[in-house]
Amino acid sequence: MDEFFNLALELIEASERHERYRDLECINLIASEGLKSPAVKEMLRLTMDLESRYAEGENDLNGHVKKRYYQGQRYITVIENCVTDLMKKLFKCNWADVRLVSGTHANLATFKGLSLATKNNKMVVTPLSCGAHISHDYTGLAGMVLGLVNIDHAYDIEEMNIDPDKSASIIRAAKPGIITFGGSLFLFPHPVKELRSVADEVGAYIVYDAAHVLGLIAGGMFQDPFADGADFITSSTHKTFPGPQGGVILGNIKDERTEEAVKKIQYAIFPLSTSNTHLGRLPAVGIAALEMRVFGGDLARQTVKNAKAAGQYLYENGLKVLGESKGFTESHQIAVDVREFGGGGVVAEKLEEANIILNRNILPYDDQRNRENPSGIRIGFQDVTRRGFREEDIKYLCDLMLQVIKGKRKPSEVREEVIELRKEFSEIRYGFKSVKEAIEYLKRA
Ligand SMILES: Cc1ncc(COP(=O)(O)O)c(C=O)c1O
């Protein structure tokens, strides 16, 4: 066969195998990945025309469509406005923008907009090894693309959190335009409340990156960043918030200053960083928001319970789970130092052989350049919780992990039990089974 055709065939086969492998045969514990309900998936399939369209243009200060440069927008405008309003209502704020195609894009537009609004290119951020996302960092989007200067928050390793007193001094000395909170290794709520008045003293905006915890916030767990004093929330829409891959920015226009900030962020969205806004995902984002409103509280509570139960159980069975003195976690994830078992890279690969999928992670005391085999692994429980795991099931899963991590059984032996366990949990909970079921629920409500 022609090499080109061979490649196309290989592509189709790999795509089919991937779906079976990751969705049916593995247990997913990657903390940054979400699990969509059947209704969200169905909505994605229903919007294939939308997936081909464009809707470039400006939005107004409600976050609604103001001006578009293409014809044929009759329903696209309604769709975008509805999703924007659903997100505003779910997160109790008066402005939102759903045109961002990812969490990184949400950070790009927010950081750019706020640095324009403040005419200040300094940003206080959590160090990368203490949980910040690469897009906050001088080695990533913030520094290399936007030219922002990073100044690190002080981090307390015992508390696994930003040290509010020391960070207050850093902020006063640095006088940044932006202070960020939130991150990728994110166990405990960040001290937004404690640092709000310091942000006011220096005229900085507070940006809270909720990519990991947006679903927990929707469910009333973790912290409410707006109540604590954040000006803007940036996020992905596909981690604990179980929508399609995409991004969102949320905020409140309270006065001239925040209005100016929103205008600059909107400018950073269009025309600075979007043309196509990937419209096909929008209805599914709205269905995920509906599911969070209806089932989000129960889902968030059980997710955090499962994460805490895993922390406790792995700790009792000899693993160095971080944050012990504080109950291991308040979020969907835990962090474990696995140096004595070969390091994060080695352990993650062994677990992968057993079809348990998670990621290696740098820990706060690691050299942040050590990406290959850092000290830790990060374990997320949002996926298994949505599949119906409760504390006892989590303990059984932990037993399988412990056998592999401690080298008591070969990963290939454990794999069969993992596949069996995965089969037992084949229904996705805390969501609608179909769009029809969602419609019926809405008509009754
Ligand atoms: C805290 C945080 N912010 C932003 C992002 C980037 O989101 P996306 O992958 O949607 O670009 C991530 C990704 O995991 C993240 O953990």
Side-chain angles (χ1 to χ4, degrees), residues 32 102-104 107 133 135-136 183-184 209 211-212 236 238-239 246:
S32 58
S102 69
T104 301
N107 282 342
H133 185 251
S135 58
H136 306 175
S184 306
D209 183 338
H212 266 264
S236 311
H238 51 264
K239 301 180 193 291

Side-chain angles (χ1 to χ4, degrees), residues 114-172:
L114 294 181
S115 62
L116 289 173
T118 55
K119 299 187 178 60
N120 182 334
N121 71 344
K122 284 183 280 180
M123 183 161 88
V124 170
V125 300
T126 309
L128 208 52
S129 59
C130 302
H133 185 251
I134 182 78
S135 58
H136 306 175
D137 196 68
Y138 68 96
T139 59
L141 167 81
M144 302 306 283
V145 179
L146 298 176
L148 299 179
V149 176
N150 276 179
I151 300 113
D152 284 346
H153 274 298
Y155 196 81
D156 182 334
I157 293 180
E158 282 303 306
E159 295 287 310
M160 283 300 285
N161 210 331
I162 292 164
D163 181 320
D165 296 333
K166 290 189 180 147
S167 272
S169 308
I170 290 167
I171 293 164
R172 286 192 181 103

Side-chain angles (χ1 to χ4, degrees), residues 335-354:
V336 187
D337 183 329
V338 288
R339 271 177 296 182
E340 64 180 295
F341 303 103
V346 170
V347 166
E349 280 172 20
K350 274 196 189 169
L351 288 167
E352 181 183 32
E353 267 187 73

Side-chain angles (χ1 to χ4, degrees), residues 397-425:
L397 173 61
C398 287
D399 280 332
L400 296 177
M401 291 169 73
L402 284 161
Q403 288 160 10
V404 174
I405 294 172
K406 293 182 173 176
K408 296 205 164 135
R409 287 177 72 204
K410 287 202 194 108
S412 55
E413 243 176 72
V414 173
R415 189 189 306 141
E416 290 312 309
E417 280 147 73
V418 171
I419 294 173
E420 279 312 304
L421 180 62
R422 168 62 197 83
K423 274 191 200 148
E424 279 178 42
F425 292 88

Side-chain angles (χ1 to χ4, degrees), residues 16-33:
E16 286 171 351
R17 286 209 190 116
H18 169 86
E19 293 298 312
R20 204 167 54 236
Y21 167 59
R22 284 296 301 275
D23 193 30
L24 300 178
E25 295 170 1
C26 288
I27 289 191
N28 183 38
L29 298 173
I30 294 200
S32 58
E33 295 178 348

Side-chain angles (χ1 to χ4, degrees), residues 183-195:
S184 306
L185 180 68
F186 200 10
L187 305 180
F188 301 107
H190 276 172
V192 178
K193 211 185 280 178
E194 292 81 341
L195 291 169

